Amino acid sequence: MLRDLWGQAWDAMLYNRRRTAITIAGMAWGIATVVLLLAYGAGFSRAIEAIFEQWGTQLIGVFPGTTSEQAGGTKAGVQVRFTQDDVDRLWNTVPNLQHISPMLSKQVSVANDLHSYTWWVNGYRPEIQEIMRLDIDSGRFFTDLDDQQREHVAVIASEAKSKLFSGQYAIGQRIRINGISFTVIGVLKPKMQEGDDDVNRQIYVPFSTMGDIKDMKYLDGIWMNYTGDHMAVEQAIRKTLAAAHNFRPSDRNAIFVANLMEQLHQFRIITIALQALLLFIGALTLGIAGIGLMNIMLVAVQQRTREIGVEKALGAQKRHILVQFLAEALVITATGGAIGIALAYAVSIAVGRITFYSALASHAEAADIYLLISPTIVLVATGILIVVGLISGMVPAMRAANLNPIEALRYE
């Protein structure tokens, strides 16, 4: 029975080849648009994630500020200063921390025998490599032993290596940081870098060794990574430091917290809204194709009115006529859908990468938009296609099923 219905629908399609081809083309274009728009939205979301993931998303930096609220008997306007005791306090108090490192930074001269620059030099514990995902391109990162022994070793960023040593091998070479001799033990892989951003021109040295360059009494900041809920960790950090430095946890100016997961969460809301908008636009496009299918099927019902009358005179019931025309609409929809999905895959392969962040930043190809069509996208698009096909086919099918057999036989 079902095979006969599909066969009859296919024969009807072949009888009106040109009309059928145009309708299938419209459905194919509609479903391809839905798939490609959803793929673009998913690619945009993945690009945003890539930008954040280069540093690690579960990453928090805390920096001292000045109080703006009165706390107890202390007036506002008091400068907060971090010490190494705060690092131990956070590590022992805040739950779910994985690594933590104090930070000392200073902009000083960095030179070798041929070149001299003024760059930021950062003193960290070795844990910073895990916290900030500082991937080594060559050599190694400094260790706890280097830190304990105050070794004069340095890990340099990729652009710093290029400017100081050009194409030469940098590992084992000597550089002078603020006039003090250091040995280069590692070169970092490049990070995404916008314009004049100096992220790839920075120097990393052991925290204890940084004492030869800058006073270690007060810290410039504290970096840490964690597991679990980012807001719970941030609140625990604020409460711990507020109790230690006598300011209110609600005082946002007393300390500045760089919570990358919170920023990423805000971007995720934007990307979800964008994907919903693209889905709506794609569904409208497919709906227009569905209107075309409905009109074509209504014309088919009108042209085959006498045929419908004969079928009813021979005993065909309403549901038989309904299924017959609905099957024809669904065959057109399925054929157009298969062609459209194949077209979307072909376009995604041909387009490949769409320039996005790499237009603004160097080493940012990973944050460009790739039209990657996932099974979820195909399922969502197919679901929309089925709904459109059913609605577009049901209206003409019901009209055909409700025709009066006597009036249908008399139709010229």
Side-chain angles (χ1 to χ4, degrees):
M1 175 77 177
L2 185 61
R3 181 180 297 179
D4 293 338
L5 284 173
W6 286 107
Q8 189 175 7
W10 185 259
D11 291 338
M13 289 168 53
L14 293 179
Y15 181 77
N16 296 284
R17 292 181 178 87
R18 182 179 299 177
R19 184 180 67 193
T20 300
I22 294 174
T23 308
I24 289 176
M27 298 301 292
W29 179 260
I31 191 65
T33 301
V34 173
V35 173
L36 290 173
L37 286 175
L38 290 177
Y40 183 89
F44 180 83
S45 177
R46 190 205 62 82
I48 295 297
E49 296 277 348
I51 294 172
F52 281 87
E53 285 177 358
Q54 67 168 334
W55 296 106
T57 53
Q58 293 185 304
L59 170 69
I60 289 180
V62 188
F63 308 95
T66 302
T67 61
S68 59
E69 299 178 11
Q70 183 176 351
T74 305
K75 295 182 178 181
V78 177
Q79 186 175 1
V80 177
R81 295 183 180 274
F82 291 164
T83 66
Q84 295 186 56
D85 290 337
D86 291 311
V87 178
D88 297 331
R89 189 176 292 111
L90 289 173
W91 179 253
N92 294 325
T93 306
V94 178
N96 300 324
L97 293 186
Q98 290 186 306
H99 304 92
I100 190 169
S101 173
M103 168 189 171
L104 283 173
S105 293
K106 188 175 183 180
Q107 201 169 25
V108 298
S109 65
V110 179
N112 60 6
D113 293 336
L114 298 176
H115 306 282
S116 179
Y117 302 95
T118 300
W119 289 333
W120 283 101
V121 177
N122 308 299
Y124 288 110
R125 301 290 186 202
E127 288 80 5
I128 198 64
Q129 184 182 16
E130 297 294 332
I131 295 172
M132 288 190 172
R133 295 187 180 179
L134 301 176
D135 298 326
I136 292 292
D137 187 44
S138 60
R140 66 176 179 87
F141 207 78
F142 49 80
T143 63
D144 287 325
L145 184 61
D146 293 326
D147 190 30
Q148 293 168 11
Q149 297 182 350
R150 297 172 63 98
E151 295 287 352
H152 284 194
V153 294
V155 176
I156 62 177
S158 59
E159 189 177 343
K161 183 262 182 186
S162 300
K163 288 184 175 295
L164 287 171
F165 301 103
S166 298
Q168 299 179 9
Y169 191 66
I171 305 303
Q173 300 293 326
R174 308 286 291 184
I175 59 175
R176 295 184 301 277
I177 301 177
N178 204 28
I180 304 171
S181 180
F182 280 74
T183 301
V184 177
I185 61 170
V187 177
L188 298 177
K189 291 182 179 179
K191 295 283 190 181
M192 299 179 191
Q193 178 180 341
E194 292 185 34
D196 294 330
D197 187 2
D198 63 353
V199 64
N200 289 319
R201 294 193 297 271
Q202 298 196 15
I203 310 297
Y204 300 83
V205 301
F207 180 76
S208 298
T209 310
M210 191 68 183
D212 295 339
I213 301 172
K214 183 177 181 178
D215 186 2
M216 299 176 64
K217 183 178 181 180
Y218 297 116
L219 306 178
D220 293 315
I222 303 170
W223 285 97
M224 63 205 83
N225 61 353
Y226 60 92
T227 58
D229 180 53
H230 66 282
M231 292 306 299
V233 174
E234 179 178 338
Q235 291 300 322
I237 292 171
R238 290 188 179 277
K239 289 180 180 179
T240 299
L241 294 177
H245 293 276
N246 194 29
F247 64 85
R248 294 183 178 181
S250 60
D251 191 345
R252 296 284 170 171
N253 293 322
I255 59 172
F256 300 99
V257 179
N259 190 337
L260 265 67
M261 183 58 76
E262 183 178 0
Q263 298 174 26
L264 178 59
H265 179 69
Q266 294 172 355
F267 275 102
R268 282 175 175 169
I269 294 174
I270 296 174
T271 57
I272 290 173
L274 175 64
Q275 291 181 61
L277 175 62
L278 293 176
L279 178 61
F280 178 71
I281 294 172
L284 284 180
T285 304
L286 189 55
I288 293 172
I291 293 173
L293 172 62
M294 185 187 301
N295 289 333
I296 291 298
M297 291 304 300
L298 286 172
V299 172
V301 171
Q302 185 178 12
Q303 291 177 343
R304 295 161 60 184
T305 301
R306 284 182 61 83
E307 176 187 332
I308 297 170
V310 171
E311 290 180 0
K312 287 195 170 186
L314 294 175
Q317 299 181 7
K318 282 187 176 182
R319 68 173 183 274
H320 298 141
I321 305 299
L322 180 71
V323 172
Q324 176 187 345
F325 282 89
L326 184 59
E328 185 175 339
L330 291 179
V331 168
I332 293 175
T333 301
T335 305
I339 295 173
I341 292 174
L343 176 62
Y345 271 104
V347 171
S348 67
I349 294 172
V351 171
R353 177 171 59 92
I354 299 175
T355 300
F356 175 53
Y357 194 54
S358 63
L360 305 173
S362 57
H363 313 292
E365 289 76 13
D368 282 339
I369 296 175
Y370 293 83
L371 297 179
L372 301 178
I373 301 174
S374 67
T376 301
I377 290 175
V378 175
L379 288 175
V380 170
T382 302
I384 297 174
L385 179 68
I386 292 173
V387 172
V388 170
L390 285 173
I391 295 175
S392 301
M394 186 62 71
V395 173
M398 290 179 64
R399 181 173 179 178
N402 291 326
L403 284 175
N404 186 294
I406 298 176
E407 294 295 331
L409 287 171
R410 294 170 55 188
Y411 182 82
E412 294 295 338

